[in-house]
Amino acid sequence: EAKTTWGRIVSPIELTLLKLGEADAEGAAFDTGLFRDARENYKAVLQDVNRLGPESLSKAIVIESCAYFGMAKLAVKDPLEDSLSEEELARKSLECLLSMPTGDGGDESLYIWRAENFVESTIRHQIASSRKLLAEALMRVGDSSSAHDLLESAVNDSPLDPVSNFALGAFLLYKAFFGMNRSDEVDKAAQVQLLRAAKLDPSSAGPFALLGYWYEHKNDLKRAVGCYSKALLSDPAHPVAGRGVIRLAPAESLLKVFEKAVTTASAVIGWAWRSIGLQKALAEGDDEQGVAALLKALRCRDIERPEVEP
């Protein structure tokens, strides 16, 4: 089929990238999938990488890192006793990239377009993403100090990378509101870092959603609603922003927000279905539609403790 369409056969590295894409689609990119198939594809990618020659060293390292990255994300959703932990896999993903010879873009670009600076920026971005993933794994095992160091290193290495800046901002927000030693200094640092992340990528919902949370807890409700609304414009299903506007705005004024959220394919729209269900049952007296909406809420991933939900 490739020969007919492209006029040539598929190269070994293209077949490897196809396996990596299939693995990501089943395991890392979505919340549900055939996790066993994803693991098998990641393992096949790692085997392929070992067979690539020295002339493809740089491409092999990036692909190997991406495979470990996907396996680490999969380990959170589907942990196995006989598999490496999320932390071990995330560390392998990062170590692959850090072992790369400085300035080595390889004999040719990994991608269709071949601009050298694009390849280098892609590698820097992948390093930042791997550091973020490892930091999340470290936080889950209680090592927040090492996580903080990693996230700061990521920002220092790539000061204009929105992923790195947002990850550090989210960490500082967590430290500011849920840490053992709260201080005005940490509170302000969290706000500044999230504002920087929002400026670097105004289309990203995450920084605006967490800024909304920051302003809400500072009792600046006007700014909080503005940030939550901005986040929902980018991602109508964002659970932090959605739950934020529910707390701060009248439910009857938000029906269009809920209806837009439930048209997405997100698995974290329980907040929207729950609000629709309560609106239908309590405000409109339509118990049948209310129950249907609440049942849909219970199937969503963001309703973690359905037994305590009204």
Side-chain angles (χ1 to χ4, degrees), residues 28 34 43 64 69 81 121 130 149 153 169 174 195 217 234 236 241-242 281 288-289 291 306:
L34 300 175
K43 290 176 182 177
E64 184 180 16
F69 187 92
E81 291 184 5
S121 64
S130 295
D149 291 343
S153 297
Y174 176 84
L195 284 169
H217 284 263
S234 298
E288 186 174 348
Q289 286 196 40
V291 167

Side-chain angles (χ1 to χ4, degrees), residues 111-190:
Y111 301 95
I112 297 170
W113 48 97
R114 299 181 178 226
E116 186 176 342
N117 62 341
F118 181 85
V119 177
E120 290 176 357
S121 64
T122 299
I123 292 169
R124 286 197 302 270
H125 177 80
Q126 184 64 22
I127 290 173
S129 298
S130 295
R131 280 190 170 130
K132 174 179 177 289
L133 188 70
L134 179 55
E136 290 170 354
L138 290 168
M139 286 180 67
R140 271 190 267 271
V141 297
D143 190 354
S144 60
S145 177
S146 296
H148 192 182
D149 291 343
L150 267 172
L151 295 173
E152 284 195 329
S153 297
V155 170
N156 291 335
D157 286 353
S158 302
L160 299 181
D161 180 63
V163 172
S164 303
N165 281 275
F166 175 54
L168 180 57
F171 175 87
L172 291 172
L173 184 74
Y174 176 84
K175 187 176 179 181
F177 290 131
F178 305 104
M180 297 295 292
N181 301 308
R182 286 197 59 179
S183 68
D184 291 340
E185 184 181 355
V186 177
D187 278 18
K188 187 63 179 176

